[in-house]
């Protein structure tokens, strides 16, 4: 896929320099939206925590990679770069692997089970009805459990929502991956990070 140049300035999904609505902070992406509606931020942040950091059979890196892959298919600058950075510090191969998955999943050097789960995630991104029995059978043959298939579908569906939330309001994001690297090293989880940000704002 063709991503635009990695500008250092912040731009929205259409290349412009302002969101569709007047936000209450200059924070990029979903962070600015969370400042605008903090009462929505709490359950959405908790959902991210459960999906990406909670107990489950998939590793944190695998879950972040699914989130990043779906966000790349939706061409969501902020969510892709954010979760690509989180995945890169948690999967073998780092950002090189993330880039390979985004560019060519079929030939990316990932285990067969993860490749099958990513194919399910891609189907969800197109439409939930695009997930076929063949997708599921392939994942099971590669060793995926029902819980792993369930979590993959839920992560993919949730990130379609997040992507559309971020881009539907034309929030700003930076195309330079280095901008996201420091935040990706945070280990406290999404709820703790958001709570810390709220305390700093008070």
């Amino acid at each position: 896929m063709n991503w635009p140049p990695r500008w250092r300035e912040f731009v929205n999904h259409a290349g412009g320099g302002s969101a569709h609505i007047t936000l209450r902070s200059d924070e990029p992406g979903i962070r600015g939206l969370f400042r605008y509606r903090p009462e929505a931020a709490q359950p959405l942040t908790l959902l991210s925590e459960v999906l990406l950091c909670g107990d489950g059979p998939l590793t944190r890196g695998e879950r972040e990679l699914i989130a990043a892959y779906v966000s790349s298919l939706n061409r969501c600058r902020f969510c892709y770069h954010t979760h690509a950075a989180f995945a890169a510090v948690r999967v073998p191969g780092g950002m090189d692997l993330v880039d390979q998955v985004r560019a060519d999943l079929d030939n990316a050097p990932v285990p067969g089970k993860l490749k099958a789960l990513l194919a399910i995630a891609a189907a969800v991104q197109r439409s939930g009805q695009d997930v076929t029995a063949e997708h599921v059978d392939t994942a099971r043959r590669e060793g995926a459990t029902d819980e792993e298939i369930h979590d993959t579908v839920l992560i993919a569906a949730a990130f379609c929502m997040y992507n559309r939330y971020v881009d539907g309001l034309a929030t700003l994001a930076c195309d330079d991956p280095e901008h996201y690297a420091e935040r990706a090293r945070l280990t406290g989880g999404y709820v703790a990070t958001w709570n810390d940000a709220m305390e700093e704002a008070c």
Side-chain angles (χ1 to χ4, degrees), residues 116-197:
L117 292 174
L118 287 164
I120 289 175
V124 172
Q125 183 268 335
R126 296 189 299 272
S127 167
Q129 295 183 10
D130 278 7
V131 181
T132 64
E134 183 178 356
H135 283 116
V136 174
D137 289 344
T138 298
R140 285 190 175 132
R141 283 197 301 271
E142 293 291 348
T145 65
D146 281 0
E147 189 173 359
E148 288 171 326
I149 294 167
H150 169 277
D151 288 2
T152 296
V153 170
L154 183 52
I155 292 168
F159 271 84
C160 285
M161 175 188 68
Y162 290 133
N163 298 161
R164 285 156 178 73
Y165 183 33
V166 165
D167 281 345
L169 288 165
T171 62
L172 304 186
C174 181
D175 267 336
D176 183 355
E178 291 305 313
H179 173 82
Y180 301 87
E182 181 177 356
R183 194 174 183 86
R185 298 185 185 97
L186 298 175
T187 58
Y190 291 92
V191 171
T193 300
W194 172 245
N195 288 341
D196 288 347

Side-chain angles (χ1 to χ4, degrees), residues 3 10-11 27-32 71 75-84 162-163 166-167 171-175 179-180 183:
W3 283 86
F10 283 77
V11 296
E27 292 171 283
I30 205 166
R31 300 206 303 270
S71 298
R75 298 183 61 79
C76 181
R77 280 184 175 93
F78 178 81
C79 294
Y80 171 71
H81 285 310
T82 295
H83 294 282
Y162 290 133
N163 298 161
V166 165
D167 281 345
T171 62
L172 304 186
C174 181
D175 267 336
H179 173 82
Y180 301 87
R183 194 174 183 86

Side-chain angles (χ1 to χ4, degrees), residues 12-13 17-27 29 32-37 165-172:
N12 67 26
H13 67 303
S18 63
H20 286 323
I21 62 174
T22 302
L23 299 175
R24 294 171 181 156
S25 83
D26 60 359
E27 292 171 283
L33 299 178
F34 281 175
R35 294 284 187 201
Y36 186 81
R37 286 296 297 268
Y165 183 33
V166 165
D167 281 345
L169 288 165
T171 62
L172 304 186

